[in-house]
Amino acid sequence: MFSDEQGDRDARSLAAVIVLSVDQFEVIFQVTHQLPNFQESRLMELGCTAADLQTLIGALREIDARVAGASRVCIWLRDDEAEITVEAQISSGEVNDVGAPSAEVVANLPLRIGRRWYALAQLVVSALGSRELFLRTGYGSDEVQAAVAGLDLD
């Protein structure tokens, strides 16, 4: 049987997928953007280097630039250090609320970053408290907790 070598390599390197609604993504985007306000040593305690944080925030900005009109965001966490990619795709056969084809934004991130993202977001939530969290992100504590739960890979 013939198999596509590139497709096999892509399937092998895929470790996990985070699927978020656009609303969840927007909340997580705002929460994640609070991380540069924390001391680097605090982020390092969670295994996040300055380069990892820069990679994560850069990818989120690219996703945010493409999320208008999409119905969801799929973030593929890969074992390898493949190039970070973000693209908008039309979902075949699915339609949105107004009968137009659904679109999703698909991104690739290294697994080492994706595994730490939940703990990093929880750091923001716990360190800021509900009032400060709302002032900085525009979202209430319950809404943030519900969105951040989508990052939990366990």
Side-chain angles (χ1 to χ4, degrees), residues 22-31 129-145 147:
V22 172
D23 291 341
Q24 284 175 302
F25 171 78
E26 292 295 347
V27 173
I28 291 168
F29 178 74
Q30 292 302 321
V31 170
S130 56
R131 173 113 173 101
E132 187 69 18
L133 187 64
F134 177 77
L135 292 173
R136 290 185 184 212
T137 67
Y139 298 101
S141 183
D142 291 343
E143 193 173 10
V144 169
Q145 285 288 6

Tab-separated table of all heavy atoms in Angstrom, residues 22-31 129-145 147:
chain	number	residue	atom	x	y	z
A	22	VAL	N	-14.480	30.578	18.814
A	22	VAL	CA	-13.858	31.893	18.624
A	22	VAL	C	-13.982	32.722	19.901
A	22	VAL	O	-13.033	33.419	20.288
A	22	VAL	CB	-14.472	32.615	17.407
A	22	VAL	CG1	-13.990	34.042	17.315
A	22	VAL	CG2	-14.128	31.852	16.126
A	23	ASP	N	-15.116	32.615	20.600
A	23	ASP	CA	-15.284	33.351	21.861
A	23	ASP	C	-14.274	32.900	22.904
A	23	ASP	O	-13.678	33.732	23.603
A	23	ASP	CB	-16.707	33.185	22.399
A	23	ASP	CG	-17.746	33.890	21.539
A	23	ASP	OD1	-17.377	34.798	20.753
A	23	ASP	OD2	-18.933	33.531	21.638
A	24	GLN	N	-14.075	31.594	23.036
A	24	GLN	CA	-13.074	31.079	23.972
A	24	GLN	C	-11.686	31.594	23.597
A	24	GLN	O	-10.909	31.995	24.462
A	24	GLN	CB	-13.029	29.549	23.954
A	24	GLN	CG	-14.150	28.858	24.656
A	24	GLN	CD	-14.040	27.359	24.465
A	24	GLN	OE1	-14.032	26.867	23.334
A	24	GLN	NE2	-13.940	26.635	25.562
A	25	PHE	N	-11.373	31.540	22.309
A	25	PHE	CA	-10.072	32.010	21.860
A	25	PHE	C	-9.849	33.467	22.241
A	25	PHE	O	-8.776	33.829	22.719
A	25	PHE	CB	-9.885	31.841	20.342
A	25	PHE	CG	-8.641	32.522	19.863
A	25	PHE	CD1	-7.405	31.937	20.062
A	25	PHE	CD2	-8.708	33.780	19.278
A	25	PHE	CE1	-6.237	32.599	19.676
A	25	PHE	CE2	-7.555	34.444	18.882
A	25	PHE	CZ	-6.318	33.848	19.083
A	26	GLU	N	-10.851	34.310	22.025
A	26	GLU	CA	-10.700	35.731	22.325
A	26	GLU	C	-10.391	35.961	23.808
A	26	GLU	O	-9.567	36.808	24.154
A	26	GLU	CB	-11.952	36.515	21.908
A	26	GLU	CG	-12.167	36.570	20.402
A	26	GLU	CD	-11.097	37.337	19.638
A	26	GLU	OE1	-10.286	38.065	20.245
A	26	GLU	OE2	-11.073	37.192	18.402
A	27	VAL	N	-11.041	35.200	24.680
A	27	VAL	CA	-10.783	35.314	26.121
A	27	VAL	C	-9.350	34.875	26.419
A	27	VAL	O	-8.594	35.580	27.094
A	27	VAL	CB	-11.791	34.467	26.933
A	27	VAL	CG1	-11.417	34.436	28.412
A	27	VAL	CG2	-13.211	34.985	26.739
A	28	ILE	N	-8.965	33.719	25.893
A	28	ILE	CA	-7.624	33.183	26.143
A	28	ILE	C	-6.552	34.099	25.558
A	28	ILE	O	-5.482	34.279	26.144
A	28	ILE	CB	-7.521	31.755	25.581
A	28	ILE	CG1	-8.408	30.820	26.422
A	28	ILE	CG2	-6.080	31.265	25.560
A	28	ILE	CD1	-8.635	29.459	25.813
A	29	PHE	N	-6.844	34.695	24.426
A	29	PHE	CA	-5.926	35.654	23.805
A	29	PHE	C	-5.639	36.797	24.773
A	29	PHE	O	-4.480	37.164	24.999
A	29	PHE	CB	-6.561	36.168	22.506
A	29	PHE	CG	-5.756	37.200	21.762
A	29	PHE	CD1	-4.616	36.838	21.063
A	29	PHE	CD2	-6.160	38.520	21.733
A	29	PHE	CE1	-3.886	37.775	20.357
A	29	PHE	CE2	-5.447	39.468	21.025
A	29	PHE	CZ	-4.302	39.097	20.342
A	30	GLN	N	-6.674	37.355	25.385
A	30	GLN	CA	-6.501	38.461	26.332
A	30	GLN	C	-5.757	38.019	27.591
A	30	GLN	O	-4.906	38.750	28.107
A	30	GLN	CB	-7.858	39.068	26.704
A	30	GLN	CG	-8.546	39.786	25.566
A	30	GLN	CD	-7.710	40.913	25.000
A	30	GLN	OE1	-7.040	41.637	25.714
A	30	GLN	NE2	-7.740	41.056	23.681
A	31	VAL	N	-6.078	36.848	28.088
A	31	VAL	CA	-5.405	36.329	29.285
A	31	VAL	C	-3.919	36.105	28.999
A	31	VAL	O	-3.053	36.512	29.781
A	31	VAL	CB	-6.079	35.027	29.775
A	31	VAL	CG1	-5.251	34.344	30.852
A	31	VAL	CG2	-7.487	35.318	30.285
A	129	GLY	N	-6.593	38.035	40.355
A	129	GLY	CA	-7.857	38.151	41.070
A	129	GLY	C	-8.953	38.621	40.124
A	129	GLY	O	-8.677	39.153	39.044
A	130	SER	N	-10.190	38.450	40.522
A	130	SER	CA	-11.301	38.683	39.596
A	130	SER	C	-11.442	40.139	39.155
A	130	SER	O	-11.703	40.397	37.984
A	130	SER	CB	-12.611	38.162	40.174
A	130	SER	OG	-12.863	38.729	41.426
A	131	ARG	N	-11.279	41.092	40.044
A	131	ARG	CA	-11.437	42.501	39.648
A	131	ARG	C	-10.344	42.937	38.667
A	131	ARG	O	-10.624	43.514	37.619
A	131	ARG	CB	-11.438	43.406	40.877
A	131	ARG	CG	-11.433	44.891	40.550
A	131	ARG	CD	-12.698	45.574	40.959
A	131	ARG	NE	-12.618	47.011	40.787
A	131	ARG	CZ	-13.158	47.653	39.763
A	131	ARG	NH1	-13.830	46.974	38.851
A	131	ARG	NH2	-13.064	48.958	39.653
A	132	GLU	N	-9.087	42.670	39.014
A	132	GLU	CA	-7.975	43.055	38.146
A	132	GLU	C	-8.024	42.295	36.820
A	132	GLU	O	-7.725	42.851	35.765
A	132	GLU	CB	-6.636	42.800	38.852
A	132	GLU	CG	-5.437	43.325	38.106
A	132	GLU	CD	-5.353	44.842	38.052
A	132	GLU	OE1	-6.015	45.537	38.844
A	132	GLU	OE2	-4.603	45.347	37.190
A	133	LEU	N	-8.434	41.043	36.872
A	133	LEU	CA	-8.579	40.246	35.659
A	133	LEU	C	-9.588	40.889	34.714
A	133	LEU	O	-9.341	41.028	33.518
A	133	LEU	CB	-9.014	38.823	36.019
A	133	LEU	CG	-9.062	37.806	34.904
A	133	LEU	CD1	-7.675	37.558	34.325
A	133	LEU	CD2	-9.648	36.494	35.417
A	134	PHE	N	-10.706	41.334	35.272
A	134	PHE	CA	-11.717	42.001	34.455
A	134	PHE	C	-11.178	43.314	33.879
A	134	PHE	O	-11.382	43.613	32.689
A	134	PHE	CB	-12.990	42.270	35.260
A	134	PHE	CG	-14.021	43.012	34.465
A	134	PHE	CD1	-14.784	42.364	33.509
A	134	PHE	CD2	-14.199	44.378	34.646
A	134	PHE	CE1	-15.713	43.062	32.745
A	134	PHE	CE2	-15.131	45.079	33.894
A	134	PHE	CZ	-15.890	44.420	32.943
A	135	LEU	N	-10.486	44.088	34.694
A	135	LEU	CA	-9.966	45.372	34.221
A	135	LEU	C	-8.932	45.191	33.102
A	135	LEU	O	-8.884	45.997	32.178
A	135	LEU	CB	-9.348	46.148	35.383
A	135	LEU	CG	-10.340	46.649	36.437
A	135	LEU	CD1	-9.601	47.255	37.618
A	135	LEU	CD2	-11.311	47.659	35.837
A	136	ARG	N	-8.141	44.144	33.184
A	136	ARG	CA	-7.092	43.937	32.187
A	136	ARG	C	-7.569	43.205	30.932
A	136	ARG	O	-7.011	43.397	29.857
A	136	ARG	CB	-5.927	43.163	32.795
A	136	ARG	CG	-5.162	43.985	33.798
A	136	ARG	CD	-3.972	43.219	34.261
A	136	ARG	NE	-3.260	43.946	35.290
A	136	ARG	CZ	-1.961	43.876	35.454
A	136	ARG	NH1	-1.235	43.124	34.653
A	136	ARG	NH2	-1.392	44.547	36.417
A	137	THR	N	-8.558	42.335	31.085
A	137	THR	CA	-8.971	41.526	29.929
A	137	THR	C	-10.345	41.888	29.393
A	137	THR	O	-10.665	41.589	28.248
A	137	THR	CB	-8.995	40.020	30.284
A	137	THR	OG1	-10.026	39.778	31.241
A	137	THR	CG2	-7.649	39.556	30.811
A	138	GLY	N	-11.200	42.464	30.258
A	138	GLY	CA	-12.566	42.762	29.851
A	138	GLY	C	-13.517	41.592	30.054
A	138	GLY	O	-14.667	41.635	29.631
A	139	TYR	N	-13.030	40.530	30.696
A	139	TYR	CA	-13.849	39.339	30.919
A	139	TYR	C	-13.930	39.016	32.400
A	139	TYR	O	-12.959	39.191	33.140
A	139	TYR	CB	-13.273	38.130	30.166
A	139	TYR	CG	-13.249	38.326	28.672
A	139	TYR	CD1	-12.078	38.672	28.014
A	139	TYR	CD2	-14.411	38.178	27.922
A	139	TYR	CE1	-12.061	38.858	26.639
A	139	TYR	CE2	-14.403	38.362	26.555
A	139	TYR	CZ	-13.229	38.709	25.924
A	139	TYR	OH	-13.218	38.890	24.555
A	140	GLY	N	-15.088	38.505	32.809
A	140	GLY	CA	-15.299	38.100	34.188
A	140	GLY	C	-14.577	36.810	34.514
A	140	GLY	O	-14.231	36.022	33.629
A	141	SER	N	-14.372	36.578	35.797
A	141	SER	CA	-13.634	35.416	36.272
A	141	SER	C	-14.254	34.096	35.798
A	141	SER	O	-13.532	33.189	35.363
A	141	SER	CB	-13.558	35.450	37.793
A	141	SER	OG	-12.808	34.380	38.272
A	142	ASP	N	-15.574	33.964	35.877
A	142	ASP	CA	-16.228	32.725	35.441
A	142	ASP	C	-16.028	32.479	33.954
A	142	ASP	O	-15.763	31.350	33.522
A	142	ASP	CB	-17.731	32.753	35.753
A	142	ASP	CG	-18.022	32.685	37.238
A	142	ASP	OD1	-17.116	32.290	38.010
A	142	ASP	OD2	-19.151	33.024	37.629
A	143	GLU	N	-16.144	33.544	33.167
A	143	GLU	CA	-15.959	33.436	31.720
A	143	GLU	C	-14.515	33.036	31.382
A	143	GLU	O	-14.270	32.200	30.507
A	143	GLU	CB	-16.305	34.784	31.080
A	143	GLU	CG	-16.457	34.768	29.604
A	143	GLU	CD	-16.959	36.106	29.067
A	143	GLU	OE1	-17.027	37.112	29.793
A	143	GLU	OE2	-17.280	36.128	27.867
A	144	VAL	N	-13.569	33.615	32.115
A	144	VAL	CA	-12.160	33.290	31.895
A	144	VAL	C	-11.890	31.839	32.277
A	144	VAL	O	-11.255	31.097	31.520
A	144	VAL	CB	-11.239	34.251	32.680
A	144	VAL	CG1	-9.797	33.759	32.663
A	144	VAL	CG2	-11.326	35.661	32.106
A	145	GLN	N	-12.372	31.418	33.430
A	145	GLN	CA	-12.144	30.034	33.881
A	145	GLN	C	-12.727	29.033	32.881
A	145	GLN	O	-12.104	28.014	32.587
A	145	GLN	CB	-12.745	29.798	35.271
A	145	GLN	CG	-11.954	30.417	36.382
A	145	GLN	CD	-10.629	29.709	36.660
A	145	GLN	OE1	-10.214	28.793	35.967
A	145	GLN	NE2	-9.944	30.164	37.673
A	147	ALA	N	-13.195	29.451	29.659
A	147	ALA	CA	-12.390	29.450	28.431
A	147	ALA	C	-11.056	28.759	28.660
A	147	ALA	O	-10.625	27.933	27.850
A	147	ALA	CB	-12.176	30.886	27.942
